[in-house]
Amino acid sequence: MSASSLADHLEEVAAMLRSFPPGTDALRVLQSAFNAIAAAQVELVAEVAERGDHEAEGCSSIKNWLRDQLRLDSAAAHRLVDAGRTLRRLPRVADAADTGALSPEHLRSFSYALRHLDPGIVEDAQDWMIDLARHAPPKTLRDATVRLREAAYPDELDEAWIRGMDRHDIRLSPVADGWHLTGFLPADTGAAFRAILGSLSAPTCADDDRPAAERRITALDTLLAGILENGLPTDKGVRPHIDLTVDLAQLATDADTTTGRLAGFGSIGPAQLQQILCGGDLTPILTAGKHATLDVGRRARLATPHQRRAVGQQQDRTCAGPGCHAPVVHVHHIRHWSDGGPTDLSNLIGLCPACHRLVHAGRLRIDPRTRRIEATVRRRSPGRLPDLGAVRARAPARAARSG
């Protein structure tokens, strides 16, 4: 079939589609046809690239030919070539794409999987990924693919967290018309700030037509005014709540590889999860009558106010980190609570937020006998195969909600 003959047939198909009675069925047929044609284009690009036809027309690469002859931008040309490689490597995905079941956006998730996951994992997962793509929008498939990667390589989440530590900062710079705010917040701090700001900046009523930017600034002003009116806090009170989702059974049996999801941020790695749980309001503090006690053993996870004051007095209200002069903000279990450590004064040490994060990241080590803190070298734990069943079980549930 010549190129002109193919063009004539496609024009006939387009005319038939235009004459189809308007309605939802027509849209379904049109989308399926569009997907099938897009898949055919992807496969044709891969075949042309393999034969080197583009070189005969004076282009050094297939991407250059796509930009020059089809007038595609660089990103669109790259996506076509990338999708072609994906269909060559995953024949079952290619078969589904040929039927019009997968859109070009769905194919991008399979390309992502091949770039970021072991080929064997993708091979095992492609059948349920195809099934998910048949019933869910591209974003649901993308989210499931990202979760599959996180399950396969949980250390990457912690490595990203540690890399971000060097960027932690917040600065206010006066300019002619106000203040310029810049910075980079840790995941938990940013999630807490977002939760507070989101709550305070919500529209007050149906007639509240203020722009979102104005509502956010007013919310921050209200928050700061409230702090100043009541005085600066001298002790750690009840903190804003943020949602942290974690598999409790996995946490109890394999804390070193358990990941969590922080509302408003996303996935966090095992070490950061332990750092947040260390100070999280997970269980109530139990007291023994009216009198204060400095040892509560395993009855309570969090330090009592009396314990916090005692830790502060012992350390002259200064962080115990090496060379650190920041004030004590967090009270940390030297032997982790999750490892059976008691909430006793002898097992508690005061840290600033930065040193606390370094302890849970493995950058600082506390000697349980001398309570001295020393720098250490964090070694990456070996990778593990993900629980494909667990990832797959979560994906269809999201697809059902989005359908």
Side-chain angles (χ1 to χ4, degrees), residues 278-357:
C278 182
D281 293 327
L282 301 179
T283 57
I285 296 177
L286 304 179
T287 59
K290 298 180 180 179
H291 302 288
T293 177
L294 295 182
D295 289 335
V296 296
R298 297 287 297 172
R299 292 173 299 168
R301 181 187 184 100
L302 299 183
T304 67
H306 290 90
Q307 287 175 320
R308 292 186 57 81
R309 283 194 288 272
V311 169
Q313 291 171 355
Q314 284 182 344
Q315 300 178 194
D316 197 23
R317 305 192 180 280
T318 302
C319 173
C324 185
H325 300 286
V328 171
V329 176
H330 298 166
V331 174
H332 171 79
H333 287 72
I334 297 175
R335 181 186 177 194
H336 292 177
W337 171 270
S338 58
D339 293 335
T343 307
D344 293 344
L345 191 60
S346 60
N347 192 47
L348 301 177
I349 193 167
L351 301 170
C352 69
C355 289
H356 195 194
R357 285 189 287 269

Side-chain angles (χ1 to χ4, degrees), residues 42-59:
V42 166
E43 293 171 344
L44 187 56
V45 166
E47 186 174 346
V48 167
E50 185 175 335
R51 293 204 313 246
D53 292 353
H54 55 279
E55 295 178 355
E57 298 188 17
C59 291

